Amino acid sequence: MIPSATNEAKAHHPLDAHFSHVSIRYHATLPFVTVLALNRPKKRNAINAQMWQEIGFAFRQIGTIGDGCRCILLIGSGKGFCGGIDISDRRFFAGIESNAGDDKSSSSGDVARRSLAFRSQILEMQSAFTAVEECPVPVVAAIHGACIGAGIDLVCCADVRVCSSDAIFSVREVRLGLAADVGTLQRFPKIVGFGSRVRELCLSGDDFNANDALQIGFVSRVSQTNNNLMDVANEICHKISRNSPVATTITKMSLNYSRDHKVAEGLEHVALHNSTALMSEDLVKSFMITGGAEDVNFAPLQSHSRL
C-alpha cells in the first residue's frame, strides 16, 4: 500500500490548498521534484468530476508558476493507483440523460442537439488529461495495484511509467458499453504499437499484469514491492531533475511533437527551439556535471505569462 497523501506529506506546497481530491507536496528528499497524489483512497482513487477538473488545473500550474519544479512524481494514495471513472457521480452522465439540461423546449429531446451539447464535456475531460502531456516538466507515474479505465487514460499522458509487481491494468471502457474517449485509444498504441495484442486488450477489456505491461513496453520497469516502487520512481525523478530544466523541457516538447509529425517536421521543430536553447548558460553547467561536479545550480524556469 502507498501511504495516504496526508500521512506522507513532508513539505507544504502552495497549490495544495486549492484541491480536495488530489494532494500536491514538495518531495521530502528530492529538491526539484513535486509529488502529485490522487487522493480518494476510500474510493480506490476513482475519478469523479471534481477530481477530473483538479487534475487538469494542477498540471496546468505545476512547473509554470516559478515553483522550481523539474519533474513531477504522479502516484495514487491507498491500495491502488486508480480504479477508473467514478460511475456514481451523475455529473458525468447528466448530458446524455433524456431530461438533460435546463432547456424545457421541445428541442431538448432532439438527439443531434443533445449530442452537440454533450461534446463539450468530452472535450473538457480530454483537455484535463492532455494537460499532463503538455505540462512543461516530465511526469513519472508510479503505479501500484489497480490502474483501470480512466487510470490508463491518465498514465498514457505521463512521460515515464513504472509499476509494482502487483499492478493490474485494464482498458475497461468497452465492458461498460462505450469506447474509451479520453485518450487511451489514441495514445496507448503510439506508446506500445498498433499490433494484435493492443487491439485484443482494447476490444476485450481484459486485465493485463505488470509483466505484460513491461513486455509490451507500456512500463519501463517493474518493482518487486510497493516500497521498492517508490525507490525506483525516485531514482528516475532524481536523474531527470538533475538535468538542465531548459534541456528537459525542450526534449519533452520534441518527443511529443515528433510522435505526431513527420521526421523532417520534427527536425525543424527541434532546430527552432535549440537555436535559442543552446545559448543558455545551462549548456556550460551541464558539462560540469559530466565532468564530475555533484551540485550544479541551474536557474529555475520563470513563471509562464498569462492574461
Side-chain angles (χ1 to χ4, degrees):
M1 177 186 293
I2 300 297
S4 70
T6 301
N7 291 336
E8 72 173 358
K10 297 294 180 67
H12 176 72
H13 192 286
L15 288 175
D16 192 50
H18 295 278
F19 305 106
S20 300
H21 299 320
V22 301
S23 174
I24 302 176
R25 65 175 178 87
Y26 295 115
H27 197 286
T29 58
L30 301 178
F32 304 111
V33 177
T34 298
V35 181
L36 187 148
L38 307 181
N39 195 24
R40 297 186 77 206
K42 293 182 179 179
K43 293 285 189 178
R44 301 296 178 98
N45 296 320
I47 306 177
N48 62 8
Q50 181 178 347
M51 186 179 187
W52 210 295
Q53 292 172 338
E54 290 182 1
I55 290 169
F57 180 76
F59 279 99
R60 292 184 187 104
Q61 297 295 314
I62 302 174
T64 74
I65 57 174
D67 52 357
C69 179
R70 299 182 192 173
C71 185
I72 298 172
L73 175 58
L74 173 61
I75 65 174
S77 58
K79 294 182 178 180
F81 179 81
C82 179
I85 191 171
D86 184 353
I87 60 175
S88 69
D89 189 343
R90 300 309 304 172
R91 290 172 62 186
F92 284 124
F93 308 104
I96 58 177
E97 293 174 347
S98 59
N99 60 347
D102 297 327
D103 183 4
K104 302 301 181 183
S105 68
S106 60
S107 68
S108 64
D110 184 86
V111 173
R113 286 172 171 78
R114 285 167 51 202
S115 174
L116 289 172
F118 185 57
R119 177 175 176 269
S120 60
Q121 178 180 315
I122 298 175
L123 293 176
E124 182 180 0
M125 294 169 69
Q126 291 175 347
S127 177
F129 282 7
T130 297
V132 181
E133 186 174 73
E134 294 180 344
C135 181
V137 299
V139 178
V140 177
I143 304 157
H144 74 291
C147 182
I148 307 298
I152 298 278
D153 288 303
L154 178 59
V155 299
C156 277
C157 298
D159 298 285
V160 179
R161 288 161 297 277
V162 296
C163 72
S164 59
S165 58
D166 71 342
I168 295 294
F169 304 87
S170 176
V171 185
R172 189 65 58 84
E173 287 86 348
V174 70
R175 290 194 180 182
L176 301 178
L178 68 152
D181 59 3
V182 192
T184 291
L185 301 183
Q186 292 69 41
R187 295 185 175 99
F188 188 42
K190 288 193 174 182
I191 294 168
V192 304
F194 285 84
S196 175
R197 181 59 174 155
V198 169
R199 290 176 180 263
E200 178 187 347
L201 292 172
C202 292
L203 292 169
S204 68
D206 283 349
D207 293 348
F208 59 104
N209 61 30
N211 288 333
D212 294 328
L214 181 63
Q215 185 176 14
I216 64 176
F218 188 56
V219 300
S220 54
R221 304 191 201 180
V222 176
S223 71
Q224 294 305 307
T225 66
N226 286 341
N227 289 335
N228 182 242
L229 171 64
M230 300 313 296
D231 292 337
V232 170
N234 286 340
E235 178 189 356
I236 296 170
C237 289
H238 174 62
K239 289 179 177 179
I240 291 172
S241 64
R242 196 165 181 258
N243 293 327
S244 156
V246 172
T248 55
T249 293
I250 292 179
T251 297
K252 175 172 179 172
M253 288 171 55
S254 183
L255 286 169
N256 286 344
Y257 185 90
S258 296
R259 178 195 62 191
D260 299 327
H261 293 79
K262 295 178 180 178
V263 171
E265 294 169 330
L267 290 170
E268 178 65 25
H269 177 268
V270 74
L272 176 64
H273 288 284
N274 255 8
S275 61
T276 300
L278 290 176
M279 309 295 178
S280 170
E281 62 183 13
D282 288 12
L283 189 65
V284 174
K285 291 181 177 180
S286 295
F287 275 100
M288 293 169 61
I289 293 179
T290 60
E294 287 296 325
D295 286 321
V296 174
N297 184 25
F298 292 114
L301 296 175
Q302 295 181 359
S303 300
H304 288 200
S305 177
R306 292 185 169 93
L307 291 177

